[in-house]
Amino acid sequence: MIIRFKYCKKNEARYLSHLDMLRILSRSVARAGIEAALSRGFNPKPRITLSNPIPLGVQSLAEYADLEVDAYLDASYFIKKINACLPENITVIAAASTESKLKSLMSVIDIVLYDFILEAVQNINLDKIKSFIAAYDSSSIYRFEAEAQQKKIFLLKIYGYVKILKYNSNRIFKFNDFNIALKEFAESNGLHIKSSKKTAAFIIKQERLADPFEEVV
Amino acid sequence: MLDLAEIGALLEGIQKPGRYIGKEFGIKSKKPGYLLKNPGTVNTALVFPDVYEVGMSNLGLQILYKIINSSPRFNAERAFSPWFDFEDRLRKSCTKLFSLENRIFLDCFDLIGFNAAHEMLYTNIVNAIDLSGLAIRSSERKSLFPLVCCGGSAAVNPWPISAFMDFMVIGDGEAVISLILETISSYKDKYLSDRTSYLENYFSLQQLKKEMLRSLGQLEGVFVPSLYSLVYNRDNTVKKIIYSGGKEDKNAKKVKKATVKDLDSFEIPADPVVPNIQTVHDRLNIEIMRGCGRGCRFCQAGFIYRPLRQKKVKNLINKSIEGLMQTGYDEISFTSLSSSDYRNLKKLIEKVTGSDLFEKISISLPSLRLDSFSLEIAEMIQSGRKTGLTFAPEAGSQRLRDIIKKDISADELRESIRAAFLKGWTKVKLYFMVGLPFETDDDIKAIAETTNEIIDLARQCLDKRGFSRLQLGVSINAFCPKPFTPFQWCAQEKIYKLEEKIRAVRQSINSRFVKLHGNDPEKSSIECAFARGDSRLSDVIESAWRSGAKFDNWADYFDYGLWKQSFAKAGADPDFYTIRQYGLNETLPWDVIDIGIKKDYFIKEYSKAMQGKKLNDNKI
């Protein structure tokens, strides 16, 4: 059976790479006494696969992973067990299990949502921010939202593509490139990027954004 | 303390930021709130003076970390050498080096303890003291704390690094660490109880520091450099060692190595800090014994870690399984200087391979002797996946192996390698040294002959497919005479000679199957100078560090030209410490240390080696 789980990596954990996370999760599963299914070969490894890598240094509230286990495992029991065995700043927040086969997370996730909080030193028109994003490589952005949270605090939500979709001449959203462009824009407009983090991942289903947990029936 | 935003800003664009963030599973340090509530806590920074990935593979660090943090009155945190890019960032932003756990600046600790695992770390130690915002020389550090100390195998000759240290620990750290911290604690209490008057009176503060160092110097294994000095003859050899720590004792008091009598009395660390990023030895390390009973004459570790102490097999089995479950590691390594000599090795391996865990983990035994018994063990741990075997004949000829007392015969070697090939191993590593005492050209030839013979054996024993996969690694290193060995007096071979010998081996080996590697003889020469150096070499270390030397153990960053200049600037001659034969009657700088073995023994062993040369002259 497969346990699909969602976890966050906050604070210092943002500096851990994709491969680091794979190793950390494998060890945490072993520490928790959870019997993972093993890969074949002379060096069997627990079968864990992760969602798309995010850039080093970016926090995430929505990382996903699939763990294969041989015996039945209750999802809430899993959450309780593994959270006691994870290093600080990494926490599993949701899990669901299924007996059916799942397509890999990397092959199904289409969209990743990044939140940027911008803080203004001087007054700035929200439209100016919107037009900056609209002018940015739009084929890599599925959609975006920009709103003023407080007087001088703005929240940007960028839904970026993480894969090239058939029949859709899109490009892949590159966080680092966007971040550099945003920084430049911010600096010349009396803004600064207060924080940025990944907050969700989606699968496009009939023009609708679906949570990766929807795959788990 | 650095907060999250500050560290975030510092880490922007830095390579492998995971080195600097801590927060691993298994951290044992006290929390900031605890430290605030208990200002009397003695805080120790344990520093391994290399990058995180190297330092976290060190077992000594984990042992001391656990012991110190198990006391409610002591706190230990870790720090490592920052890589070039991060050091640059720290210096440009005027940020001092900090510990990983609570990100406390190193100069705010009471004690900074370095691991001097080998001589090529000395510049990194000096650099770390400087990065902590402290004066590098102990004589210029006037505040009471932090004290700076080091231990580890290079410390057995304390002199070269002594100018930078308040004290040094010789021998097993776990035997004295608690006593050291108790002593520091009592002086810290004294200081805190009358802080204002100490701060107003410079003289009484210096007096207090002196007293503290003197009491530390009374502990077994503790060497306090400021209480000792070397007086030199006109020919630069040591005339005498002077001790100024007590009125009654005019003769230099020797510092007796600290020794743990019963290793089982210390809990085996089954819950080490598990790194978040990949390290050099990314596995659970379990020490099975300390010391070695073989007495190979070139091997410093074999003498300074005596006596041979074996841990109880029952404890090891329990702790291995417990450790694997607690850490989640998929590899366990049983460490010692010569694991085949551990009396219950077979039982240990049987129990661990017999446990349910075994299908998920692998076992490594880094120091097998490779006789028929060890081969059996190697088969048990490598069932199915044959990774590789390592043989260390050290010398090519039987004659020279007898001289260095490497107890393995040509027949034994041939038979075990034959057996290994027949059992399907195709990856074999061989270790040799060149520049050994009494070595002749024939001995060098014998290295290539032995290697070629092994290739022939492989051809005979392996099938076509196996033979095509044959990988023979041959490592050739320059011999470096070290203190507390029967060869401590021997001259090291000149660099160009060593290079010639390595070239000679390379040319006469059938290179199609062989990968040659080994340390740079220039590096060995600097290592030798510091291993056998005296107090004048502190100036050389400082000078080299000021010219930018660091990470000298990294082939890419070791700069021999820079070192030669630094010797010249400090007015020291490296040849005096390397290619010179030390006199048997000479006072040796390290005579200040009582390692537990009499000098007479080393002389006897040395003369036996010399006789070996005479007796076996015609035998190769």
Side-chain angles (χ1 to χ4, degrees), chain B residues 124-409:
Chain B
N124 273 21
I125 292 179
V126 172
N127 198 36
I129 301 175
D130 182 63
L131 279 168
S132 309
L134 300 166
I136 57 167
R137 291 198 176 240
S138 56
S139 57
E140 286 160 27
R141 291 192 295 263
K142 300 298 182 191
S143 61
L144 194 60
F145 300 118
L147 292 171
V148 178
C149 74
C150 75
S153 31
V156 295
N157 175 16
W159 294 108
I161 193 82
S162 63
F164 315 105
M165 295 293 143
D166 294 301
F167 67 92
M168 297 173 75
V169 182
I170 319 296
D172 299 327
E174 57 272 66
V176 278
I177 186 66
S178 300
L179 294 173
I180 289 170
L181 296 176
E182 287 296 347
T183 308
I184 292 174
S185 169
S186 68
Y187 282 90
K188 185 173 179 176
D189 288 347
K190 213 169 178 180
Y191 168 72
L192 288 180
S193 68
D194 203 5
R195 197 169 173 172
T196 34
S197 79
Y198 278 119
L199 285 175
E200 278 163 11
N201 189 338
Y202 175 80
F203 180 75
S204 69
L205 186 74
Q206 295 314 305
Q207 202 51 41
L208 187 70
K209 188 168 186 179
K210 238 181 196 169
E211 256 178 56
M212 174 165 63
L213 288 172
R214 252 173 221 229
S215 341
L216 286 168
Q218 297 300 314
L219 301 175
E220 195 171 79
V222 177
F223 173 77
V224 177
S226 56
L227 300 179
Y228 291 83
S229 54
L230 291 179
V231 180
Y232 295 99
N233 291 310
R234 295 182 78 175
D235 69 357
N236 281 332
T237 55
V238 175
K239 188 173 182 188
K240 59 178 174 184
I241 300 164
I242 292 177
Y243 173 65
S244 54
K247 284 173 202 132
E248 66 292 333
D249 194 358
K250 282 281 177 216
N251 289 323
K253 183 177 86 84
K254 280 200 174 202
V255 174
K256 197 169 168 239
K257 175 182 80 169
T259 309
V260 172
K261 305 241 156 32
D262 177 16
L263 277 182
D264 286 305
S265 64
F266 287 92
E267 207 190 321
I268 297 165
D271 56 345
V273 178
V274 182
N276 282 335
I277 65 167
Q278 191 162 26
T279 56
V280 176
H281 297 304
D282 210 357
R283 59 198 185 194
L284 178 67
N285 287 311
I286 298 280
E287 185 192 31
I288 56 176
M289 62 179 187
R290 201 174 293 180
C292 177
R294 300 219 158 243
C296 301
R297 292 179 180 130
F298 58 88
C299 177
Q300 186 187 43
F303 294 101
I304 64 176
Y305 291 114
R306 281 186 182 187
L308 178 66
R309 287 149 290 169
Q310 313 204 19
K311 291 192 190 175
K312 287 199 183 92
V313 69
K314 210 178 134 202
N315 286 350
L316 288 173
I317 295 165
N318 291 339
K319 286 291 171 179
S320 299
I321 294 177
E322 189 187 317
L324 285 167
M325 294 200 300
Q326 281 192 29
T327 59
Y329 275 122
D330 59 6
E331 187 180 347
I332 183 169
S333 174
F334 293 112
T335 66
S336 77
L337 292 169
S338 176
S339 298
S340 330
D341 293 336
Y342 176 62
R343 77 168 92 82
N344 284 314
L345 187 64
K346 197 167 171 186
K347 187 171 176 193
L348 173 64
I349 301 297
E350 270 171 4
K351 288 283 178 189
V352 178
T353 53
S355 76
D356 297 341
L357 285 169
F358 188 59
E359 63 163 331
K360 282 179 273 181
I361 62 144
S362 59
I363 301 177
S364 69
L365 276 164
S367 62
L368 281 182
R369 236 174 72 76
L370 270 297
D371 43 24
S372 52
F373 165 69
S374 307
L375 215 55
E376 191 188 330
I377 300 283
E379 272 221 291
M380 287 166 69
I381 63 175
Q382 297 194 355
S383 56
R385 55 188 158 214
K386 296 229 171 352
T387 47
L389 288 177
T390 303
F391 294 78
E394 310 290 1
S397 72
Q398 191 57 49
R399 184 194 74 93
L400 197 54
R401 280 199 293 274
D402 290 344
I403 288 174
I404 63 174
K405 209 175 166 182
K406 179 74 198 188
D407 191 14
I408 184 158
S409 73

Side-chain angles (χ1 to χ4, degrees), chain A residues 45-69:
Chain A
K45 301 270 178 220
R47 287 180 181 269
I48 297 180
T49 52
L50 307 184
S51 54
N52 314 55
I54 60 166
L56 211 60
V58 180
Q59 298 194 71
S60 176
L61 303 182
E63 294 299 288
Y64 290 84
D66 284 342
L67 164 70
E68 204 179 318
V69 287

Side-chain angles (χ1 to χ4, degrees), chain B residues 548-586:
Chain B
K550 58 192 158 203
F551 288 104
D552 290 301
N553 202 37
W554 293 62
D556 290 353
Y557 301 101
F558 174 77
D559 180 349
Y560 184 62
L562 183 153
W563 276 104
K564 271 181 89 169
Q565 280 169 18
S566 307
F567 270 93
K569 263 189 232 162
D573 176 11
D575 290 353
F576 178 78
Y577 305 99
T578 55
I579 60 171
R580 182 174 73 92
Q581 174 84 27
Y582 284 34
L584 287 180
N585 297 322
E586 220 177 288

Side-chain angles (χ1 to χ4, degrees), chain A residues 11-16 20 23-24 27 30-31 35 38 42-45 56 84-89 183, chain B residues 4 8 11-12 17 21 23 25 103 274-278 282 325-330 359-360 384-385:
Chain A
N11 304 331
E12 288 92 341
R14 77 180 78 175
Y15 297 108
L16 301 172
D20 292 336
R23 199 168 35 242
I24 290 167
R27 282 180 189 159
R31 283 197 284 263
E35 297 280 342
L38 297 175
F42 287 136
N43 274 311
K45 301 270 178 220
L56 211 60
C85 296
L86 281 163
E88 211 177 314
N89 297 319
K183 227 181 213 171
Chain B
L4 192 61
L11 287 177
E12 218 176 295
I21 56 167
K23 304 279 183 268
F25 188 81
R103 288 197 283 266
V274 182
N276 282 335
I277 65 167
Q278 191 162 26
D282 210 357
M325 294 200 300
Q326 281 192 29
T327 59
Y329 275 122
D330 59 6
E359 63 163 331
K360 282 179 273 181
R385 55 188 158 214

